[in-house]
Amino acid sequence: MRFLLVEDSEKLSRAISERLVLDGHVVDSVSDIGAAEAMLHSTEYDMILLDLTLPDGHGWDLLKSLRARADKSPVIVITARSELTDRIETLDAGADDFIVKPFAFAELEARCRAVLRRKRGDASNKTALGNVEFDTLEGTLSIEGKSTSLRNQELRLFEALFSAPGRLQSKSFLLDRLFAFGSEGSDNAVEVYIGRLRKKLAQSNLEIETVRGRGYRLNICE
């Protein structure tokens, strides 16, 4: 997944980013609302982690701006405020969930998974397509009971394709899923990981189709 982390504490921001990257995610980290808005206008995110107290304003302002323009990106608010009224206002402003500082990283990860399951309408981390079962938590795909682990970039790429079967995904979009903003990446990197995924799907009825000059899409072969 690709995360936007909006947090002005350098220490906390670095700790969260390192943990999420270790778990195989891409993280773009900024420290104020202005930078967050700039990133949101150029990149699509699977999850936004938003602090409330920021140098150039209140996190609610960014949250309300997102919802006002019908941006439904999942948002988990990170806050030091634990009063009931603060929590109610946070949810009413459009947050999908919140977590109170200090928190355990395991709790943050669990809340992220829960929010994404609700967004997808899933009751678990496992989703089936064709004869493939994809476990987003374990980072595995199973074909008729045989499980295969996905490496970090493979996992990010497969998540993007698996979440929208039949939809054409451009190389630029998929490249965006693979690398954080400012990191070096190339179309060739997408091709390499597509090739690896095809090998792991060889015994399945899913096929990654290449649409020359446009991108890729995941199809179910009858």
Side-chain angles (χ1 to χ4, degrees), residues 9-81:
S9 166
E10 184 178 349
K11 182 178 180 181
L12 180 58
S13 179
R14 183 170 59 252
I16 293 174
S17 296
E18 289 176 354
R19 179 60 178 263
L20 290 173
V21 169
L22 187 64
D23 287 343
H25 305 294
V26 173
V27 183
D28 291 327
S29 178
V30 296
S31 60
D32 57 59
I33 293 173
E37 285 282 18
M39 298 297 287
L40 287 164
H41 280 95
S42 63
T43 307
E44 183 179 337
Y45 291 95
D46 301 299
M47 177 72 69
I48 300 169
L49 303 178
L50 175 64
D51 189 20
L52 289 183
T53 306
L54 297 166
D56 57 346
H58 199 288
W60 285 341
D61 298 329
L62 176 60
L63 182 55
K64 290 175 181 177
S65 175
L66 279 173
R67 299 313 186 220
R69 58 179 183 259
D71 188 323
K72 297 181 180 180
S73 300
V75 177
I76 295 180
V77 163
I78 299 172
T79 178
R81 304 179 181 186

Side-chain angles (χ1 to χ4, degrees), residues 77-96:
V77 163
I78 299 172
T79 178
R81 304 179 181 186
S82 59
E83 295 297 323
L84 177 61
T85 53
D86 294 320
R87 285 180 280 170
I88 292 172
E89 287 183 40
T90 296
L91 295 173
D92 284 344
D96 294 276

Side-chain angles (χ1 to χ4, degrees), residues 117-200:
R117 285 200 303 270
R118 291 200 299 270
K119 287 289 184 180
R120 294 193 303 258
D122 297 336
S124 74
N125 297 303
K126 297 180 180 180
T127 309
L129 183 65
N131 66 347
V132 175
E133 183 179 73
F134 179 37
D135 189 323
T136 57
L137 176 58
E138 296 296 331
T140 61
L141 57 85
S142 298
I143 304 169
E144 297 179 353
K146 185 178 180 180
S147 182
T148 303
S149 296
L150 299 176
R151 295 178 180 273
N152 288 351
Q153 281 83 1
E154 294 170 354
L155 175 59
R156 296 167 192 163
L157 193 58
F158 193 64
E159 278 182 326
L161 293 167
F162 196 86
S163 65
R167 182 191 301 172
L168 181 64
Q169 309 273 23
S170 69
K171 274 190 176 182
S172 60
F173 173 81
L174 295 176
L175 191 62
D176 197 49
R177 301 296 95 185
L178 289 176
F179 300 101
F181 188 78
S183 299
E184 291 187 8
S186 66
D187 288 352
N188 184 59
V190 176
E191 294 170 7
V192 168
Y193 292 115
I194 286 289
R196 293 180 183 178
L197 285 177
R198 281 175 171 152
K199 289 181 180 179
K200 293 187 175 183

